[in-house]
Amino acid sequence: MILALLAPLQALSQQLGVPQRAILTISSDRLFSESAFGRRVIDEIEADGAVLAAENERIIAQLSKEERELTARRAGMEPAAFRALADAFDAKVQSHRESQKAKLDALAARTDEARGAFLEMVQPVLARLMQETGAGVILERSNVFFSANATDITDLAISRIDAAIGDGKGLENRDTE
């Protein structure tokens, strides 16, 4: 009797392009990078990375000029006075290096935070896909040794996620507002 009731649901799911499988696979990397949300985040971080790279190049050029000037002044200076200037310059270089590394680390952290927020936001979409397919589990595709391509729902999940959250602009910080 229950099977008779479920048959129309299974037929409808199959007509909608949803595979009927107990185990599904998904590529979480593709899920993020090919979704509208992931593309937006990646584009923003790449743009910020380009700004950081340009800033880094400007700093390097400035420090190189200062180093050349300091080297040119060396001949006419007392060794102790030069050492003091050289030590101050080295400290400045180290400070800039640490500052730039901190900015680069912050970009990486933003990517990780965005991935975490994304995975939280898409859970309802993935849960609905599991219900529609009768699946009990979704496995990371890269961790599966061998499977039929029919178990991979990455493309379907991306289209559903894009429909549900779009590029996610403004959704990431809803909990903190």
Side-chain angles (χ1 to χ4, degrees):
M1 174 97 154
I2 293 175
L3 291 176
L5 293 173
L6 291 177
L9 289 177
Q10 283 185 325
L12 178 61
S13 291
Q14 288 173 343
Q15 288 172 356
L16 296 174
V18 180
Q20 292 297 298
R21 304 278 187 258
I23 297 174
L24 300 172
T25 60
I26 201 161
S27 168
S28 60
D29 286 341
R30 280 192 51 227
L31 191 69
F32 181 75
S33 66
E34 294 179 18
S35 69
F37 180 101
R39 287 190 312 270
R40 176 188 58 84
V41 168
I42 290 166
D43 288 348
E44 288 173 358
I45 290 174
E46 284 178 352
D48 290 346
V51 168
L52 182 60
E55 178 184 354
N56 198 42
E57 285 181 31
R58 182 185 53 76
I59 290 169
I60 289 171
Q62 176 189 347
L63 291 173
S64 294
K65 179 182 174 196
E66 287 180 40
E67 182 180 30
R68 285 189 302 274
E69 289 170 357
L70 184 59
T71 302
R73 292 176 56 196
R74 181 179 189 174
M77 296 181 72
E78 291 292 322
F82 176 77
R83 174 57 37 214
L85 290 177
D87 289 345
F89 178 75
D90 286 344
K92 184 176 183 178
V93 168
Q94 188 62 30
S95 174
H96 281 300
R97 187 176 293 135
E98 290 169 3
S99 174
Q100 295 304 97
K101 183 180 180 326
K103 291 175 185 178
L104 191 59
D105 291 346
L107 280 179
R110 273 182 46 206
T111 303
D112 292 343
E113 290 167 9
R115 278 181 176 272
F118 173 76
L119 291 175
E120 242 179 76
M121 282 187 262
V122 303
Q123 283 180 3
V125 174
L126 297 177
R128 278 192 301 278
L129 278 170
M130 286 178 66
Q131 281 181 319
E132 291 174 24
T133 61
V137 66
I138 298 176
L139 300 175
E140 174 61 47
R141 184 148 176 89
S142 64
N143 292 333
V144 175
F145 179 70
F146 188 74
S147 73
N149 282 339
T151 66
D152 188 330
I153 60 162
T154 306
D155 291 332
L156 178 61
I158 291 169
S159 67
R160 298 270 183 101
I161 289 165
D162 285 351
I165 66 171
D167 73 359
K169 191 95 171 146
L171 297 177
E172 293 169 90
N173 297 322
R174 281 193 309 180
D175 296 338
T176 60
E177 294 177 355

PDB file of all heavy atoms in Angstrom, residues 134-164:
ATOM      1  N   GLY A 134      14.979  10.215  -2.067  1.00  0.00           N
ATOM      2  CA  GLY A 134      14.944   9.098  -1.135  1.00  0.00           C
ATOM      3  C   GLY A 134      16.323   8.745  -0.597  1.00  0.00           C
ATOM      4  O   GLY A 134      16.532   7.669  -0.055  1.00  0.00           O
ATOM      5  N   ALA A 135      17.261   9.668  -0.744  1.00  0.00           N
ATOM      6  CA  ALA A 135      18.636   9.411  -0.316  1.00  0.00           C
ATOM      7  C   ALA A 135      18.761   9.511   1.201  1.00  0.00           C
ATOM      8  O   ALA A 135      18.075  10.300   1.848  1.00  0.00           O
ATOM      9  CB  ALA A 135      19.586  10.396  -0.976  1.00  0.00           C
ATOM     10  N   GLY A 136      19.660   8.725   1.721  1.00  0.00           N
ATOM     11  CA  GLY A 136      19.966   8.775   3.138  1.00  0.00           C
ATOM     12  C   GLY A 136      21.259   9.505   3.408  1.00  0.00           C
ATOM     13  O   GLY A 136      21.540   9.876   4.550  1.00  0.00           O
ATOM     14  N   VAL A 137      22.043   9.742   2.342  1.00  0.00           N
ATOM     15  CA  VAL A 137      23.346  10.367   2.524  1.00  0.00           C
ATOM     16  C   VAL A 137      23.798  11.009   1.212  1.00  0.00           C
ATOM     17  O   VAL A 137      23.464  10.541   0.126  1.00  0.00           O
ATOM     18  CB  VAL A 137      24.386   9.328   3.026  1.00  0.00           C
ATOM     19  CG1 VAL A 137      24.670   8.270   1.971  1.00  0.00           C
ATOM     20  CG2 VAL A 137      25.665   9.976   3.471  1.00  0.00           C
ATOM     21  N   ILE A 138      24.546  12.114   1.365  1.00  0.00           N
ATOM     22  CA  ILE A 138      25.228  12.724   0.228  1.00  0.00           C
ATOM     23  C   ILE A 138      26.715  12.672   0.563  1.00  0.00           C
ATOM     24  O   ILE A 138      27.148  13.205   1.581  1.00  0.00           O
ATOM     25  CB  ILE A 138      24.802  14.188  -0.005  1.00  0.00           C
ATOM     26  CG1 ILE A 138      23.309  14.279  -0.319  1.00  0.00           C
ATOM     27  CG2 ILE A 138      25.628  14.796  -1.143  1.00  0.00           C
ATOM     28  CD1 ILE A 138      22.794  15.715  -0.471  1.00  0.00           C
ATOM     29  N   LEU A 139      27.482  12.021  -0.298  1.00  0.00           N
ATOM     30  CA  LEU A 139      28.921  11.885  -0.086  1.00  0.00           C
ATOM     31  C   LEU A 139      29.691  12.849  -0.980  1.00  0.00           C
ATOM     32  O   LEU A 139      29.245  13.188  -2.078  1.00  0.00           O
ATOM     33  CB  LEU A 139      29.367  10.456  -0.411  1.00  0.00           C
ATOM     34  CG  LEU A 139      28.733   9.321   0.395  1.00  0.00           C
ATOM     35  CD1 LEU A 139      29.205   7.980  -0.143  1.00  0.00           C
ATOM     36  CD2 LEU A 139      29.067   9.470   1.859  1.00  0.00           C
ATOM     37  N   GLU A 140      30.858  13.257  -0.496  1.00  0.00           N
ATOM     38  CA  GLU A 140      31.759  14.081  -1.304  1.00  0.00           C
ATOM     39  C   GLU A 140      32.255  13.221  -2.456  1.00  0.00           C
ATOM     40  O   GLU A 140      32.816  12.145  -2.243  1.00  0.00           O
ATOM     41  CB  GLU A 140      32.935  14.575  -0.454  1.00  0.00           C
ATOM     42  CG  GLU A 140      34.000  15.314  -1.214  1.00  0.00           C
ATOM     43  CD  GLU A 140      33.509  16.582  -1.902  1.00  0.00           C
ATOM     44  OE1 GLU A 140      32.810  17.384  -1.252  1.00  0.00           O
ATOM     45  OE2 GLU A 140      33.832  16.754  -3.099  1.00  0.00           O
ATOM     46  N   ARG A 141      32.039  13.680  -3.666  1.00  0.00           N
ATOM     47  CA  ARG A 141      32.384  12.882  -4.859  1.00  0.00           C
ATOM     48  C   ARG A 141      33.864  12.491  -4.888  1.00  0.00           C
ATOM     49  O   ARG A 141      34.204  11.376  -5.281  1.00  0.00           O
ATOM     50  CB  ARG A 141      32.032  13.658  -6.121  1.00  0.00           C
ATOM     51  CG  ARG A 141      32.267  12.843  -7.380  1.00  0.00           C
ATOM     52  CD  ARG A 141      31.264  13.219  -8.446  1.00  0.00           C
ATOM     53  NE  ARG A 141      31.512  12.525  -9.680  1.00  0.00           N
ATOM     54  CZ  ARG A 141      31.008  11.331  -9.988  1.00  0.00           C
ATOM     55  NH1 ARG A 141      30.246  10.707  -9.134  1.00  0.00           N
ATOM     56  NH2 ARG A 141      31.275  10.771 -11.152  1.00  0.00           N
ATOM     57  N   SER A 142      34.749  13.373  -4.454  1.00  0.00           N
ATOM     58  CA  SER A 142      36.180  13.068  -4.501  1.00  0.00           C
ATOM     59  C   SER A 142      36.578  11.965  -3.520  1.00  0.00           C
ATOM     60  O   SER A 142      37.654  11.394  -3.650  1.00  0.00           O
ATOM     61  CB  SER A 142      37.002  14.330  -4.226  1.00  0.00           C
ATOM     62  OG  SER A 142      36.769  14.802  -2.913  1.00  0.00           O
ATOM     63  N   ASN A 143      35.719  11.653  -2.563  1.00  0.00           N
ATOM     64  CA  ASN A 143      36.021  10.594  -1.597  1.00  0.00           C
ATOM     65  C   ASN A 143      35.436   9.241  -1.992  1.00  0.00           C
ATOM     66  O   ASN A 143      35.607   8.269  -1.276  1.00  0.00           O
ATOM     67  CB  ASN A 143      35.507  10.975  -0.202  1.00  0.00           C
ATOM     68  CG  ASN A 143      36.277  12.127   0.386  1.00  0.00           C
ATOM     69  OD1 ASN A 143      37.445  12.336   0.065  1.00  0.00           O
ATOM     70  ND2 ASN A 143      35.629  12.900   1.234  1.00  0.00           N
ATOM     71  N   VAL A 144      34.738   9.214  -3.120  1.00  0.00           N
ATOM     72  CA  VAL A 144      34.122   7.973  -3.595  1.00  0.00           C
ATOM     73  C   VAL A 144      35.064   7.335  -4.605  1.00  0.00           C
ATOM     74  O   VAL A 144      35.473   7.976  -5.579  1.00  0.00           O
ATOM     75  CB  VAL A 144      32.739   8.262  -4.224  1.00  0.00           C
ATOM     76  CG1 VAL A 144      32.152   6.997  -4.832  1.00  0.00           C
ATOM     77  CG2 VAL A 144      31.810   8.867  -3.184  1.00  0.00           C
ATOM     78  N   PHE A 145      35.407   6.101  -4.372  1.00  0.00           N
ATOM     79  CA  PHE A 145      36.345   5.404  -5.245  1.00  0.00           C
ATOM     80  C   PHE A 145      35.745   5.182  -6.630  1.00  0.00           C
ATOM     81  O   PHE A 145      36.381   5.408  -7.648  1.00  0.00           O
ATOM     82  CB  PHE A 145      36.754   4.072  -4.606  1.00  0.00           C
ATOM     83  CG  PHE A 145      37.706   3.273  -5.442  1.00  0.00           C
ATOM     84  CD1 PHE A 145      39.016   3.692  -5.624  1.00  0.00           C
ATOM     85  CD2 PHE A 145      37.294   2.111  -6.069  1.00  0.00           C
ATOM     86  CE1 PHE A 145      39.895   2.966  -6.413  1.00  0.00           C
ATOM     87  CE2 PHE A 145      38.158   1.385  -6.855  1.00  0.00           C
ATOM     88  CZ  PHE A 145      39.468   1.807  -7.023  1.00  0.00           C
ATOM     89  N   PHE A 146      34.485   4.730  -6.671  1.00  0.00           N
ATOM     90  CA  PHE A 146      33.864   4.406  -7.945  1.00  0.00           C
ATOM     91  C   PHE A 146      32.359   4.544  -7.786  1.00  0.00           C
ATOM     92  O   PHE A 146      31.797   4.089  -6.800  1.00  0.00           O
ATOM     93  CB  PHE A 146      34.230   2.965  -8.348  1.00  0.00           C
ATOM     94  CG  PHE A 146      33.805   2.596  -9.730  1.00  0.00           C
ATOM     95  CD1 PHE A 146      34.491   3.086 -10.827  1.00  0.00           C
ATOM     96  CD2 PHE A 146      32.727   1.765  -9.939  1.00  0.00           C
ATOM     97  CE1 PHE A 146      34.102   2.747 -12.110  1.00  0.00           C
ATOM     98  CE2 PHE A 146      32.334   1.413 -11.215  1.00  0.00           C
ATOM     99  CZ  PHE A 146      33.024   1.901 -12.313  1.00  0.00           C
ATOM    100  N   SER A 147      31.731   5.211  -8.755  1.00  0.00           N
ATOM    101  CA  SER A 147      30.272   5.322  -8.722  1.00  0.00           C
ATOM    102  C   SER A 147      29.760   5.627 -10.117  1.00  0.00           C
ATOM    103  O   SER A 147      30.518   6.047 -10.994  1.00  0.00           O
ATOM    104  CB  SER A 147      29.822   6.420  -7.750  1.00  0.00           C
ATOM    105  OG  SER A 147      30.097   7.697  -8.284  1.00  0.00           O
ATOM    106  N   ALA A 148      28.468   5.446 -10.277  1.00  0.00           N
ATOM    107  CA  ALA A 148      27.825   5.815 -11.534  1.00  0.00           C
ATOM    108  C   ALA A 148      27.619   7.328 -11.522  1.00  0.00           C
ATOM    109  O   ALA A 148      27.351   7.917 -10.484  1.00  0.00           O
ATOM    110  CB  ALA A 148      26.476   5.107 -11.658  1.00  0.00           C
ATOM    111  N   ASN A 149      27.764   7.946 -12.671  1.00  0.00           N
ATOM    112  CA  ASN A 149      27.546   9.392 -12.747  1.00  0.00           C
ATOM    113  C   ASN A 149      26.131   9.781 -12.347  1.00  0.00           C
ATOM    114  O   ASN A 149      25.875  10.924 -11.981  1.00  0.00           O
ATOM    115  CB  ASN A 149      27.855   9.909 -14.152  1.00  0.00           C
ATOM    116  CG  ASN A 149      29.340  10.044 -14.384  1.00  0.00           C
ATOM    117  OD1 ASN A 149      30.123  10.137 -13.452  1.00  0.00           O
ATOM    118  ND2 ASN A 149      29.724  10.041 -15.650  1.00  0.00           N
ATOM    119  N   ALA A 150      25.218   8.828 -12.408  1.00  0.00           N
ATOM    120  CA  ALA A 150      23.826   9.106 -12.057  1.00  0.00           C
ATOM    121  C   ALA A 150      23.666   9.488 -10.592  1.00  0.00           C
ATOM    122  O   ALA A 150      22.658  10.075 -10.212  1.00  0.00           O
ATOM    123  CB  ALA A 150      22.960   7.885 -12.372  1.00  0.00           C
ATOM    124  N   THR A 151      24.650   9.194  -9.758  1.00  0.00           N
ATOM    125  CA  THR A 151      24.543   9.557  -8.341  1.00  0.00           C
ATOM    126  C   THR A 151      24.977  10.983  -8.083  1.00  0.00           C
ATOM    127  O   THR A 151      24.705  11.529  -7.024  1.00  0.00           O
ATOM    128  CB  THR A 151      25.398   8.622  -7.453  1.00  0.00           C
ATOM    129  OG1 THR A 151      26.788   8.814  -7.758  1.00  0.00           O
ATOM    130  CG2 THR A 151      25.011   7.167  -7.624  1.00  0.00           C
ATOM    131  N   ASP A 152      25.650  11.617  -9.057  1.00  0.00           N
ATOM    132  CA  ASP A 152      26.173  12.977  -8.869  1.00  0.00           C
ATOM    133  C   ASP A 152      25.062  13.996  -9.108  1.00  0.00           C
ATOM    134  O   ASP A 152      24.522  14.092 -10.206  1.00  0.00           O
ATOM    135  CB  ASP A 152      27.337  13.235  -9.821  1.00  0.00           C
ATOM    136  CG  ASP A 152      28.040  14.557  -9.534  1.00  0.00           C
ATOM    137  OD1 ASP A 152      27.386  15.494  -9.066  1.00  0.00           O
ATOM    138  OD2 ASP A 152      29.250  14.636  -9.776  1.00  0.00           O
ATOM    139  N   ILE A 153      24.741  14.758  -8.071  1.00  0.00           N
ATOM    140  CA  ILE A 153      23.683  15.755  -8.170  1.00  0.00           C
ATOM    141  C   ILE A 153      24.231  17.184  -8.141  1.00  0.00           C
ATOM    142  O   ILE A 153      23.486  18.131  -7.902  1.00  0.00           O
ATOM    143  CB  ILE A 153      22.651  15.569  -7.039  1.00  0.00           C
ATOM    144  CG1 ILE A 153      23.321  15.708  -5.666  1.00  0.00           C
ATOM    145  CG2 ILE A 153      21.891  14.257  -7.197  1.00  0.00           C
ATOM    146  CD1 ILE A 153      22.352  15.965  -4.540  1.00  0.00           C
ATOM    147  N   THR A 154      25.515  17.344  -8.402  1.00  0.00           N
ATOM    148  CA  THR A 154      26.133  18.666  -8.297  1.00  0.00           C
ATOM    149  C   THR A 154      25.447  19.691  -9.191  1.00  0.00           C
ATOM    150  O   THR A 154      25.083  20.781  -8.721  1.00  0.00           O
ATOM    151  CB  THR A 154      27.642  18.594  -8.614  1.00  0.00           C
ATOM    152  OG1 THR A 154      28.250  17.607  -7.781  1.00  0.00           O
ATOM    153  CG2 THR A 154      28.312  19.940  -8.392  1.00  0.00           C
ATOM    154  N   ASP A 155      25.250  19.381 -10.472  1.00  0.00           N
ATOM    155  CA  ASP A 155      24.618  20.339 -11.385  1.00  0.00           C
ATOM    156  C   ASP A 155      23.202  20.685 -10.941  1.00  0.00           C
ATOM    157  O   ASP A 155      22.813  21.863 -10.948  1.00  0.00           O
ATOM    158  CB  ASP A 155      24.598  19.793 -12.815  1.00  0.00           C
ATOM    159  CG  ASP A 155      25.989  19.719 -13.434  1.00  0.00           C
ATOM    160  OD1 ASP A 155      26.861  20.520 -13.050  1.00  0.00           O
ATOM    161  OD2 ASP A 155      26.193  18.847 -14.306  1.00  0.00           O
ATOM    162  N   LEU A 156      22.447  19.685 -10.557  1.00  0.00           N
ATOM    163  CA  LEU A 156      21.086  19.901 -10.079  1.00  0.00           C
ATOM    164  C   LEU A 156      21.095  20.756  -8.814  1.00  0.00           C
ATOM    165  O   LEU A 156      20.310  21.701  -8.681  1.00  0.00           O
ATOM    166  CB  LEU A 156      20.396  18.553  -9.812  1.00  0.00           C
ATOM    167  CG  LEU A 156      18.979  18.612  -9.254  1.00  0.00           C
ATOM    168  CD1 LEU A 156      18.043  19.336 -10.226  1.00  0.00           C
ATOM    169  CD2 LEU A 156      18.479  17.193  -8.982  1.00  0.00           C
ATOM    170  N   ALA A 157      21.999  20.449  -7.907  1.00  0.00           N
ATOM    171  CA  ALA A 157      22.087  21.216  -6.663  1.00  0.00           C
ATOM    172  C   ALA A 157      22.460  22.671  -6.945  1.00  0.00           C
ATOM    173  O   ALA A 157      21.888  23.590  -6.341  1.00  0.00           O
ATOM    174  CB  ALA A 157      23.099  20.578  -5.717  1.00  0.00           C
ATOM    175  N   ILE A 158      23.393  22.900  -7.863  1.00  0.00           N
ATOM    176  CA  ILE A 158      23.785  24.271  -8.204  1.00  0.00           C
ATOM    177  C   ILE A 158      22.588  25.052  -8.730  1.00  0.00           C
ATOM    178  O   ILE A 158      22.341  26.190  -8.309  1.00  0.00           O
ATOM    179  CB  ILE A 158      24.947  24.287  -9.223  1.00  0.00           C
ATOM    180  CG1 ILE A 158      26.240  23.780  -8.569  1.00  0.00           C
ATOM    181  CG2 ILE A 158      25.152  25.686  -9.808  1.00  0.00           C
ATOM    182  CD1 ILE A 158      27.372  23.508  -9.546  1.00  0.00           C
ATOM    183  N   SER A 159      21.818  24.443  -9.632  1.00  0.00           N
ATOM    184  CA  SER A 159      20.662  25.162 -10.186  1.00  0.00           C
ATOM    185  C   SER A 159      19.624  25.451  -9.104  1.00  0.00           C
ATOM    186  O   SER A 159      19.049  26.536  -9.059  1.00  0.00           O
ATOM    187  CB  SER A 159      20.044  24.402 -11.358  1.00  0.00           C
ATOM    188  OG  SER A 159      19.459  23.198 -10.920  1.00  0.00           O
ATOM    189  N   ARG A 160      19.414  24.519  -8.204  1.00  0.00           N
ATOM    190  CA  ARG A 160      18.459  24.738  -7.103  1.00  0.00           C
ATOM    191  C   ARG A 160      18.973  25.798  -6.126  1.00  0.00           C
ATOM    192  O   ARG A 160      18.207  26.617  -5.633  1.00  0.00           O
ATOM    193  CB  ARG A 160      18.204  23.437  -6.350  1.00  0.00           C
ATOM    194  CG  ARG A 160      17.586  22.330  -7.169  1.00  0.00           C
ATOM    195  CD  ARG A 160      16.074  22.382  -7.118  1.00  0.00           C
ATOM    196  NE  ARG A 160      15.474  21.289  -7.851  1.00  0.00           N
ATOM    197  CZ  ARG A 160      14.974  20.190  -7.295  1.00  0.00           C
ATOM    198  NH1 ARG A 160      15.011  20.020  -5.989  1.00  0.00           N
ATOM    199  NH2 ARG A 160      14.434  19.260  -8.048  1.00  0.00           N
ATOM    200  N   ILE A 161      20.256  25.765  -5.841  1.00  0.00           N
ATOM    201  CA  ILE A 161      20.845  26.747  -4.921  1.00  0.00           C
ATOM    202  C   ILE A 161      20.783  28.141  -5.534  1.00  0.00           C
ATOM    203  O   ILE A 161      20.416  29.110  -4.853  1.00  0.00           O
ATOM    204  CB  ILE A 161      22.295  26.347  -4.560  1.00  0.00           C
ATOM    205  CG1 ILE A 161      22.277  25.109  -3.650  1.00  0.00           C
ATOM    206  CG2 ILE A 161      23.049  27.505  -3.917  1.00  0.00           C
ATOM    207  CD1 ILE A 161      23.605  24.409  -3.521  1.00  0.00           C
ATOM    208  N   ASP A 162      21.114  28.254  -6.811  1.00  0.00           N
ATOM    209  CA  ASP A 162      21.034  29.555  -7.472  1.00  0.00           C
ATOM    210  C   ASP A 162      19.604  30.092  -7.426  1.00  0.00           C
ATOM    211  O   ASP A 162      19.395  31.290  -7.209  1.00  0.00           O
ATOM    212  CB  ASP A 162      21.525  29.467  -8.918  1.00  0.00           C
ATOM    213  CG  ASP A 162      23.035  29.374  -9.029  1.00  0.00           C
ATOM    214  OD1 ASP A 162      23.729  29.554  -7.996  1.00  0.00           O
ATOM    215  OD2 ASP A 162      23.527  29.127 -10.151  1.00  0.00           O
ATOM    216  N   ALA A 163      18.627  29.207  -7.612  1.00  0.00           N
ATOM    217  CA  ALA A 163      17.229  29.633  -7.540  1.00  0.00           C
ATOM    218  C   ALA A 163      16.848  30.055  -6.116  1.00  0.00           C
ATOM    219  O   ALA A 163      16.077  30.999  -5.925  1.00  0.00           O
ATOM    220  CB  ALA A 163      16.314  28.504  -8.022  1.00  0.00           C
ATOM    221  N   ALA A 164      17.398  29.376  -5.127  1.00  0.00           N
ATOM    222  CA  ALA A 164      17.028  29.651  -3.735  1.00  0.00           C
ATOM    223  C   ALA A 164      17.730  30.876  -3.150  1.00  0.00           C
ATOM    224  O   ALA A 164      17.098  31.677  -2.457  1.00  0.00           O
ATOM    225  CB  ALA A 164      17.322  28.427  -2.866  1.00  0.00           C
TER     226      ALA A 164
END
